[in-house]
Amino acid sequence: MPEMLMRLDWSREQIEAEQRRGLRETLAIAQEKSPFYAARLRGVDPNSFTLADLPHIQPVTKSDVMEHWDGIVTDPRLTLDQANAHLAALRDETEDNAYFRDEFYLCATGGSSGRRGLFLWDADFFATAACVAYRLEAREDELNPPTGPRRTAVICAGSYLHASRMIFPISPDLEREILPISASESIQVIVEMLNSFQPDRIVSYSSIMEELCAEASAGHLQISPRRISVNSEPLTDDARAATEALWGINIHNAWGSVEMGMCGMEGDQFDGLILSEDVCIFEAIDDDGAIIQAGQADHLLVTRLYGNTLPLIRYELTDSLLISPHGSSNAPAYRRVSELAGRSDVWFLYGEQRVHPMVFRGVLGQEPAIVEYQVRQTRTGADIDLITQAPLDLPLIQRQLIQELASQGVIAPSINVAIVNELPRHIETGKLTRFLALK
């Protein structure tokens, strides 16, 4: 963490020097140890490679990763079949060790695209991503040491099968007490836990934070947080205004992915997400397919400079965002994202009962046979369309989802699951909306 803190004050030249160093190291490892990249990088000399040479390398998609997983990983002991078997054992509770082969973390995701991917974190990935996630908070603590009890409530996935449970319930402050709370709990239970714990900081999904603001306005939630951070979903202006009115503080936004770790964090000036350019190379692509330094980006090509057990070089992220031509006051040499789109999770409302999409994702996103999915809410449950790549026990999926909805308080839930050849996408962007709530 001390080194990561110093990097916030780097010049643009220092950032690009680190990108060049990390890129050459990543290329060398991938070329030597990954059969997939050995073929793709044939003729590339890592020792003389520059940032300007990156566009000559063919991009990698999530489909590429899933098709060539065994050839991409740099550890020959690891296979996709073994990884899927490990996740299946965790789901079935026949395995309680969250670490694959005792040293790697696995997480399956659908992301904003809706296509399933399975990604692997090594120790370097976790440590680096954790430092990026919390370094702005750590620097603020150095400048203004917190007083009183130090307690952080983290509202995240209830299971380690989802990366939010792995990365967010941590802190660089060893004296800070952390309470993970499952996002699948009812809002009443979450309020009770927060009232009992009395956190001075909250880390949460954006939509749940909006619910908590409503509970605080109604007098049910009685806490006095001094810092709030959100992730995984779009942050609305209404949520910012509500926390300002309730507690006199703004919300720190965060943007990340299981593939890349923490891509952007918001500092104490609340002027946009600072891109983590010291650990990733971000190529913003506009509607015409051109690389831009600032402006509206249709998608990104990202090269991760750490966690090289599963290297990702020019990996496509489908998030749409606006990059400001001006840097952040918290880290002036780093580019800044002033507007972020592409994350579309919504609440499903059944009468008075709210259900987070995590409930559906926890079943559908972990099944290897499911390639893509779309969940359309009905009055008593959901209609779900699946694109599959292998035989699938549809009645089992249906029973699991019914059980999950019932556990959330939905009365007599009904689930209809069908296998289809294609899913409807946005006519202009081509993106898939994974969760469609009733209007």
Side-chain angles (χ1 to χ4, degrees), residues 154-200:
V154 181
I155 303 169
C156 58
S159 166
Y160 283 105
L161 290 171
H162 191 267
S164 66
R165 180 64 178 86
M166 184 72 174
I167 192 69
F168 290 118
I170 57 173
S171 174
D173 181 355
L174 299 181
E175 301 301 319
R176 178 162 289 277
E177 187 178 354
I178 309 292
L179 175 66
I181 301 175
S182 173
S184 296
E185 296 283 5
S186 69
I187 194 66
Q188 291 81 9
V189 170
I190 294 175
V191 167
E192 290 174 4
M193 295 178 73
L194 291 175
N195 282 339
S196 176
F197 187 58
Q198 287 296 307
D200 66 316

Side-chain angles (χ1 to χ4, degrees), residues 224-297:
S224 300
R226 298 184 181 91
R227 183 185 181 94
I228 297 174
S229 304
V230 299
N231 58 78
S232 301
E233 298 166 340
L235 173 60
T236 65
D237 290 339
D238 287 344
R240 288 188 186 273
T243 60
E244 287 272 14
L246 287 164
W247 299 299
I249 58 175
N250 205 333
I251 297 177
H252 296 265
N253 200 8
W255 165 51
S257 71
V258 298
E259 301 99 319
M260 295 296 157
M262 301 312 300
C263 297
M265 305 297 297
E266 191 170 38
D268 58 14
Q269 298 302 306
F270 305 98
D271 53 1
L273 296 152
I274 301 167
L275 284 172
S276 53
E277 294 188 279
D278 55 328
V279 296
C280 290
I281 299 172
F282 297 90
E283 298 174 81
I285 311 298
D286 67 11
D287 290 334
D288 298 323
I291 300 174
I292 58 173
Q293 290 301 308
Q296 184 66 48

Side-chain angles (χ1 to χ4, degrees), residues 10 14 27 52 75 149 161 180 184 230 233 252 323-324 350 362 426:
W10 272 0
Q14 287 174 300
L27 290 172
D75 187 330
L161 290 171
S184 296
V230 299
E233 298 166 340
H252 296 265
I323 299 181
S324 171
Y350 299 96
H426 191 279

